[in-house]
Amino acid sequence: MQQETTHQETAGWQKLSTTNVDKAERLSFWQDSANTLFPSTVVTGSADDDFFGSVTWMEFGELMLADFISTATEIQRGEEQIGRNDMWYEVCLQVEGDCRLTQGGRSVRVRPREMVLYDSQQPYRMTFSGPYRQIALKLPRRLLQDRVPCLDTLIARQMSGQSLPGRFLFDFIITMCDVKRESARESLINRLEAHVVDLLATALSEIASEQPLSANRQAQLARVKAHILAHLDDPGLCPAEIARQQSISHRSLYELFAGEDLQVSKWIKAQRLERIRRDLGDSLLSSWPITTIALRRGFKDFSHFSRAFRAQYGISPRAYRKSRLS
């Protein structure tokens, strides 16, 4: 079997299929292929000669989008497959067929135009009783932990693709998969990454506000974070000003962030650095001086920005830009 019979590339998108794989090897080929894209799992399915699987995927920025079509399968991830560096969240968008996801003591049925979040650091089981199409999005945990409060309460909970935030996310991603050449344009890649993360955070924040536990705190924290992101480029943004704008005390603001990975000032800095990181990889901004980008994103001092960027990403801003645009 030659690799080119199963592996194709189209304008940034890559494709693997079992079509030309020997019948006796289809299921094992499919498992090996899936495990190169997503955290390791064990895949079981129908007899090899009846099995079919196809996946088209693209990496954009730190995200991976994969469009799976397959016959009935069961996918399990146990403790033995979980590695220390598996710092990912994954979101599944069900296009056709049904999926049963079990994780963290919850079991949920995901139907067409529904979505579900799951965590690569916890065991799970995903069952498809018949043929299906599912789009999977993989992204670093920190991209959501910094934006959505109480994420653990949102694992294995349905998100509707019919609600307004859910529809924006679902339709945006499925369009990326269906219009492959356009979505793979180099000038769009970094912007698409930012849009997808923002749409996902909005959809998750909506269901977070519906959860009975700590609902008021979650809703208030979501409002505060939305305010910060809306005013992030303002160099005058600071905890005192945020508290005043949100009509809460300085102490209450810090208490809202008490259960988060970063306190409010560090969260603001991390979000500014993340926006600058995306800007530095944006070919449309390649002629802009790094100093201009840093000051535009709310930093008052370039030396402070440069040190903070290196501390956050382990590379200088100049070297990072060169690596992304070369």
Side-chain angles (χ1 to χ4, degrees):
M1 179 181 67
Q2 298 298 315
Q3 187 178 25
E4 56 264 30
T5 64
T6 57
H7 189 181
Q8 304 170 7
E9 295 189 19
T10 305
W13 287 83
Q14 300 181 71
K15 181 176 182 178
L16 281 167
S17 170
T18 61
T19 300
N20 296 314
V21 178
D22 292 341
K23 290 183 177 181
E25 300 175 4
R26 286 177 181 171
L27 196 57
S28 60
F29 170 84
W30 183 245
Q31 174 168 304
D32 291 344
S33 300
N35 286 348
T36 64
L37 303 178
F38 286 82
S40 296
T41 58
V42 175
V43 180
T44 56
S46 54
D48 282 327
D49 57 352
D50 294 327
F51 181 81
F52 170 80
S54 172
V55 58
T56 309
W57 77 95
M58 181 180 73
E59 294 181 78
F60 55 110
E62 296 185 274
L63 279 57
M64 175 180 285
L65 194 61
D67 189 353
F68 288 94
I69 297 174
S70 174
T71 50
T73 55
E74 182 171 274
I75 301 168
Q76 294 192 68
R77 179 167 168 81
E79 293 285 358
E80 63 276 13
Q81 276 97 35
I82 298 174
R84 181 180 301 175
N85 296 322
D86 286 336
M87 303 295 288
W88 306 96
Y89 282 120
E90 298 167 46
V91 180
C92 290
L93 298 85
Q94 200 68 24
V95 183
E96 298 174 7
D98 287 2
C99 169
R100 171 69 65 177
L101 172 69
T102 302
Q103 184 173 58
R106 302 188 192 118
S107 182
V108 61
R109 182 183 178 191
V110 189
R111 301 173 178 86
R113 285 202 71 87
E114 291 182 340
M115 300 167 282
V116 66
L117 173 75
Y118 59 104
D119 185 352
S120 69
Q121 289 192 323
Q122 299 181 41
Y124 66 82
R125 182 173 68 254
M126 195 177 291
T127 304
F128 304 90
S129 57
Y132 69 91
R133 179 187 178 192
Q134 185 185 80
I135 299 173
L137 174 68
K138 182 179 79 170
L139 70 165
R141 293 168 61 89
R142 60 179 172 76
L143 292 185
L144 286 183
Q145 287 173 327
D146 288 346
R147 293 167 180 256
V148 183
C150 305
L151 266 171
D152 287 344
T153 69
L154 308 182
I155 298 298
R157 295 194 185 277
Q158 293 144 313
M159 291 183 283
S160 172
Q162 302 291 358
S163 68
L164 189 60
R167 182 174 296 180
F168 281 143
L169 175 63
F170 194 99
D171 290 346
F172 188 82
I173 288 182
I174 201 168
T175 299
M176 286 181 63
C177 292
D178 289 344
V179 190
K180 291 184 171 58
R181 288 191 178 274
E182 185 69 14
S183 62
R185 281 171 48 197
E186 184 177 349
S187 61
L188 287 178
I189 291 296
N190 283 280
R191 295 172 183 268
L192 291 173
E193 177 189 18
H195 288 322
V196 168
V197 174
D198 286 343
L199 289 172
L200 175 57
T202 301
L204 287 168
S205 295
E206 181 193 37
I207 64 169
S209 66
E210 298 171 354
Q211 300 304 314
L213 297 177
S214 305
N216 290 336
R217 177 187 176 276
Q218 291 178 33
Q220 188 173 33
L221 181 57
R223 287 195 299 270
V224 169
K225 286 188 171 183
H227 173 85
I228 292 172
L229 292 174
H231 298 85
L232 197 59
D233 295 343
D234 180 0
L237 185 71
C238 64
E241 181 62 18
I242 295 166
R244 187 185 70 80
Q245 290 284 340
Q246 294 295 303
S247 300
I248 59 176
S249 69
H250 206 178
R251 178 179 177 179
S252 295
L253 176 63
Y254 278 95
E255 287 177 348
L256 278 177
F257 280 81
E260 300 295 295
D261 290 340
L262 298 175
Q263 264 297 338
V264 58
S265 296
K266 291 184 178 179
W267 194 83
I268 293 170
K269 183 171 71 173
Q271 298 309 308
R272 284 175 171 159
L273 289 170
E274 186 62 22
R275 283 193 181 179
I276 294 169
R277 182 194 67 80
R278 293 198 298 261
D279 287 346
L280 293 178
D282 190 339
S283 60
L284 297 179
L285 301 178
S286 61
S287 63
W288 287 35
I290 296 176
T291 303
T292 300
I293 291 175
L295 297 179
R296 171 177 175 254
R297 290 305 191 187
F299 276 90
K300 299 178 181 179
D301 178 80
F302 182 77
S303 297
H304 174 230
F305 154 71
S306 186
R307 291 193 299 271
F309 190 96
R310 184 183 287 274
Q312 178 80 3
Y313 300 110
I315 189 174
S316 72
R318 189 178 304 278
Y320 178 81
R321 172 181 255 185
K322 183 178 180 181
S323 70
R324 294 304 303 270
L325 298 180
S326 58

